[in-house]
Amino acid sequence: MKTNKTCAIIADIKKMDTLLPLTNRRPVSLLPFDGIYRMIDFNLSNVIDADIHSIYMIFNQGMTQSVIDHINGGKEWNLNSLPNRYFMHFFQGLKERNPEEDHYYDSVIEYIQKSDSEFTVFMGNKMLCNLDLSQVRNVHKMHREDITVVYKKMPQEKIAPEDIILDISDNGKVKGITSAQNAIVENEVDNLFMNICIVKSDWLIQELTKWRQNEDIATIEDVLKDAIKTKTTWAFEYTGYLSNIFDIKSYYDANMEMLDSSKFLSLLHSSKKIYMKNINEVPTYYAKTSRVNGSQVAAGCLVYGNVEHSLLSTGTIVKENATISDSIVMAKSTIKKDAVVKYAILDKNVVIEEGVSVIGTPENPIVIKKNAHIVEDMIQMEEQVDESLILHSGV
């Protein structure tokens, strides 16, 4: 293997029912973010900016169409250039897997071997950050151990029960790990493992070969978490902006925080650039009747009504006297005349009929699924809405 050469594995096979219906037919990492990005744009950008030229992505079978549509040839991330390569693998769970097919790990091991890399970076699917992976690699090389993990000190309300909390010594060595739901509450902040680590490629091949003998299929993420318990592991502290997206509320909050200029600049305009898919759209049209305050509006929208403290994606139409406030509107949705949308997340291609109100709460934003046509008021005060009010919905 070539000294210092690094490859990357981006894994998105961890399903989160807490993000339904937004993840009905798309992986978590393909969720839209801040009107014009997808969550996977951040991991891809972090990898490319660290001069890593080989990427292996893993998605669940049946959840790939949006991935292919988004990444396509990969030119926006320079993946189509001569030195860069990316590969996709479609994960099958125990129920879907044919016992006669190659083991899940076989293709991963083959990829790492062919990458000819000394180090392998692993990244999960739900943390948004602007991370300098070259700094993590330098720390890993300095300590000369098998694993270096990335963490951030986070308030407990922004940590999911299934997240991993690290116990770290004063010199930066990991002393132990605990599931957040089992952690003893002692401090206002905890050391959140960001599901990002760098390991020696030879060591990872040995571990996967060993785990291959088990009948059950553990994900690479699980293999790495198990190794942290027993192997000498060093920790790298990330101090930039981080969003940990694990349910509807955290997804809503992460998007709305982009209306805060300091958080927006920290995540999207630090020293490193976040690359996204090119959007070939005409400029947004603002009619004389429109009123827009404290919002982000993507290109290609038509705004005749009122938009307050909201994020609008490409192709959104806001008709006369319609009002959108404190909401996220994904691409190609239409809010007709006199309609009201407040504390809501509208997925793609949603239509809100004239005079209809769709209203959630700050703690419980209402979610309208993709292709839905809303014809009567939907006022969500608690957990559920009346599905019969949706005239038509697709997937």
Side-chain angles (χ1 to χ4, degrees):
M1 293 190 175
K2 293 182 179 177
T3 303
N4 293 330
K5 188 175 179 182
T6 306
C7 66
I9 297 174
I10 298 175
D12 187 359
I13 58 177
K14 186 175 182 180
K15 297 179 180 177
M16 285 187 277
D17 291 343
T18 48
L19 280 166
L20 291 172
L22 298 176
T23 52
N24 265 338
R25 296 295 298 273
R26 61 163 75 97
V28 173
S29 62
L30 264 293
L31 281 172
F33 182 76
D34 193 33
I36 56 175
Y37 296 91
R38 300 292 181 121
M39 287 174 59
I40 197 171
D41 294 345
F42 294 82
N43 277 349
L44 288 174
S45 300
N46 290 331
V47 167
I48 292 301
D49 281 340
D51 203 25
I52 297 172
H53 301 292
S54 180
I55 305 174
Y56 187 83
M57 292 177 278
I58 310 171
F59 301 95
N60 286 303
Q61 192 172 45
M63 303 284 280
T64 56
Q65 188 58 54
S66 58
V67 179
I68 295 170
D69 289 345
H70 182 66
I71 298 177
N72 201 358
K75 66 178 182 180
E76 287 85 355
W77 304 271
N78 203 28
L79 296 174
N80 62 342
S81 63
L82 193 58
N84 293 335
R85 294 286 186 274
Y86 76 95
F87 308 87
M88 288 189 190
H89 178 82
F90 305 126
F91 177 79
Q92 293 177 315
L94 281 176
K95 294 180 179 178
E96 299 84 11
R97 179 173 173 264
N98 185 340
E100 296 179 357
E101 294 179 349
D102 290 342
H103 193 282
Y104 161 51
Y105 296 152
D106 291 346
S107 58
V108 181
I109 293 171
E110 182 181 7
Y111 161 73
I112 299 172
Q113 290 172 332
K114 287 185 175 179
S115 74
D116 203 25
S117 299
E118 182 181 8
F119 305 113
T120 300
V121 168
F122 175 86
M123 308 184 82
N125 64 348
K126 70 187 189 77
M127 305 275 184
L128 290 181
C129 62
N130 194 334
L131 172 66
D132 189 342
L133 282 170
S134 61
Q135 290 185 4
V136 185
R137 182 170 50 200
N138 290 338
V139 170
H140 183 70
K141 288 162 63 178
M142 179 181 70
H143 290 300
R144 298 177 180 274
E145 298 290 350
D146 291 325
I147 311 175
T148 300
V149 298
V150 182
Y151 76 99
K152 180 174 174 60
K153 296 182 184 298
M154 290 286 282
Q156 292 176 355
E157 64 269 21
K158 293 194 174 184
I159 297 175
E162 65 272 18
D163 284 335
I164 295 297
I165 304 300
L166 302 176
D167 184 10
I168 302 171
S169 67
D170 292 339
N171 66 352
K173 187 179 290 186
V174 177
K175 298 190 294 182
I177 68 173
T178 310
S179 171
Q181 58 190 346
N182 298 326
I184 299 173
V185 178
E186 294 180 339
N187 306 306
E188 293 183 355
V189 296
D190 277 320
N191 299 321
L192 172 65
F193 173 44
M194 292 169 54
N195 289 338
I196 299 173
C197 60
I198 183 167
V199 301
K200 292 179 180 176
S201 297
D202 285 339
W203 171 84
L204 182 56
I205 291 172
Q206 292 173 8
E207 285 294 302
L208 294 177
T209 303
K210 183 177 68 178
W211 276 76
R212 192 188 186 290
Q213 308 308 316
N214 297 341
E215 292 185 0
D216 295 338
I217 300 177
T219 65
I220 298 177
E221 186 175 344
D222 291 332
V223 171
L224 292 169
K225 287 178 181 175
D226 186 78
I228 295 170
K229 299 175 184 174
T230 56
K231 300 290 182 180
T232 301
T233 301
W234 291 91
F236 176 94
E237 183 179 2
Y238 170 70
T239 56
Y241 176 85
L242 172 71
S243 279
N244 180 20
I245 294 174
F246 52 88
D247 58 13
I248 292 296
K249 179 65 165 58
S250 60
Y251 175 75
Y252 175 81
D253 288 345
N255 276 275
M256 300 309 290
E257 283 183 350
M258 292 301 97
L259 298 175
D260 180 325
S261 59
S262 62
K263 293 175 180 175
F264 173 81
L265 293 172
S266 177
L267 180 62
L268 296 165
H269 293 278
S270 67
S271 58
K272 296 193 304 85
K273 184 177 179 181
I274 301 298
Y275 305 95
M276 63 178 185
K277 185 176 181 178
N278 289 333
I279 300 174
N280 296 317
E281 283 285 355
V282 299
T284 284
Y285 172 73
Y286 297 94
K288 291 183 178 179
T289 56
S290 66
R291 183 172 59 84
V292 180
N293 290 316
S295 301
Q296 293 183 22
V297 181
C301 296
L302 300 174
V303 183
Y304 300 88
N306 308 308
V307 182
E308 181 80 23
H309 196 251
S310 296
L311 299 158
L312 272 56
S313 297
T314 303
T316 299
I317 300 173
V318 185
K319 294 286 191 178
E320 293 84 352
N321 207 35
T323 298
I324 303 173
S325 60
D326 301 294
S327 296
I328 302 164
V329 182
M330 298 185 193
K332 298 179 181 177
S333 291
T334 299
I335 296 84
K336 294 191 176 181
K337 186 179 178 182
D338 296 324
V340 175
V341 176
K342 187 175 180 63
Y343 296 119
I345 302 173
L346 309 187
D347 206 332
K348 290 179 66 175
N349 297 319
V350 167
V351 176
I352 309 296
E353 273 298 334
E354 280 190 23
V356 170
S357 295
V358 175
I359 301 176
T361 68
E363 294 304 314
N364 191 20
I366 189 170
V367 181
I368 305 300
K369 60 186 177 182
K370 188 176 179 180
N371 297 331
H373 186 173
I374 307 302
V375 297
E376 294 185 27
D377 290 350
M378 300 178 72
I379 313 297
Q380 176 167 287
M381 302 305 293
E382 298 298 336
E383 294 294 332
Q384 300 295 327
V385 298
D386 186 351
E387 291 283 336
S388 65
L389 299 180
I390 301 176
L391 182 64
H392 166 75
S393 65
V395 292

